Amino acid sequence: MRLSLQLYTVRRELEADLPGTLKALAGVGFDQVEPYNFQENPEELASALRDNGLSAPSGHAPLLRSGQDQDQIFSAAKTLGIGTVIDPHVPEDRWKTEDDIAATAAALNDAAAKGAAYGVRVGYHNHWWELETLPDGRTGLEVLASHLNPEVILEVDTYWAAVGGQDAAALLGRLGDRVRFIHIKDGPVTSDPAAQLPVGDGVMPVWDVIAAAAALETGVVELDDYAGNMMDAVSASFEYLTAGRPEA
């Protein structure tokens, strides 16, 4: 499994020192990262990535946000070498009915058609509300998948899936090869971002989850927040995942 880091994890550090933070991540051992809102400074970010031997196979950008210029996003992705642009957030109130979810799928399908002209794939990343069940017993994310064109992929945030009440490994099994990226995070499985912990220190069945992602291209480490030193948490997460599954 290739490992990446969602740069939102170190957003405060990036704001203080972009090149220095990327150098520190490379020093930890990462050779891939997942930028967010990368359309805002693609040239500066591309230069810092090159200087530190980092690539960005995926990135988060608000493709479906009202008024957002998708061409700007896809052009920035090309500048950065990002092959998959993932929309990270569709609000909770748009996951209550199948019609609303189908509308989101149609918007993703349209974005994917535009992205294809740039050689860029499109995907979607979940929070917990997409995994709460609808009246018919299905999750919103699975309803979404049923309406997506084959070329649109999913990046399943496995921690938020668990917060939403799902067995993350079983969910990945149901979604199958639609899932090409996962977010790997750990903690007590609550909706409080500050309660999250370095990977391996919480209650998530991390290795079972990874094993269930049959078509996985990249596992993306993320902490939305952390009460301690974030770079220490990033380093501990990398060390845990690269050491391999502990023996029973």
Side-chain angles (χ1 to χ4, degrees):
M1 177 185 62
R2 297 294 302 276
L3 281 178
S4 181
L5 179 78
Q6 167 53 243
L7 290 181
Y8 184 77
T9 303
V10 290
R11 59 195 177 278
R12 298 179 185 90
E13 291 80 1
L14 289 170
E15 289 170 4
D17 182 1
L18 171 64
T21 300
L22 294 181
K23 182 178 181 180
L25 294 177
V28 167
F30 285 99
D31 59 11
Q32 297 185 146
V33 294
E34 184 175 73
Y36 66 99
N37 289 341
F38 55 82
Q39 73 277 10
E40 297 176 357
N41 62 346
E43 291 81 9
E44 180 186 9
L45 180 57
S47 177
L49 291 173
R50 285 194 302 270
D51 289 348
N52 290 286
L54 296 168
S55 64
S58 60
H60 282 194
L63 285 167
L64 304 190
R65 182 183 297 167
S66 177
Q68 184 62 58
D69 185 341
Q70 291 183 353
D71 288 296
Q72 178 192 16
I73 290 173
F74 291 130
S75 178
K78 290 284 286 184
T79 296
L80 288 157
I82 291 173
T84 303
V85 173
I86 298 166
D87 190 287
H89 178 271
V90 169
E92 186 172 359
D93 62 2
R94 288 164 58 185
W95 294 90
K96 304 302 184 184
T97 70
E98 180 156 4
D99 285 347
D100 283 345
I101 296 169
T104 293
L108 286 166
N109 291 337
D110 289 345
K114 178 171 285 191
Y118 292 83
V120 176
R121 185 171 57 175
V122 163
Y124 182 73
H125 160 277
N126 63 280
H127 288 78
W128 63 85
W129 49 81
E130 299 93 335
L131 280 309
E132 295 169 342
T133 55
L134 297 174
D136 65 4
R138 293 178 296 167
T139 68
L141 193 63
E142 289 169 280
V143 174
L144 180 76
S146 73
H147 288 279
L148 291 175
N149 290 342
E151 62 270 20
V152 182
I153 65 95
L154 294 177
E155 176 180 66
V156 174
D157 188 308
T158 59
Y159 188 81
W160 288 142
V163 172
Q166 300 301 312
D167 177 320
L171 175 70
L172 291 171
R174 295 197 301 273
L175 291 169
D177 62 7
R178 177 77 71 174
V179 180
R180 301 304 177 90
F181 299 83
I182 61 173
H183 272 192
I184 304 170
K185 59 177 70 166
D186 212 342
V189 187
T190 70
S191 60
D192 177 10
Q196 291 175 19
L197 297 169
V199 178
D201 286 356
V203 301
M204 285 292 293
V206 172
W207 293 106
D208 291 342
V209 167
I210 292 169
L216 184 64
E217 296 173 9
T218 304
V220 184
V221 176
E222 182 183 38
L223 289 93
D224 294 280
D225 209 343
Y226 179 54
N229 181 282
M230 186 60 84
M231 287 303 300
D232 288 346
V234 166
S235 181
S237 298
F238 184 86
E239 291 174 5
Y240 176 80
L241 290 167
T242 53
R245 185 169 193 158
E247 294 184 7

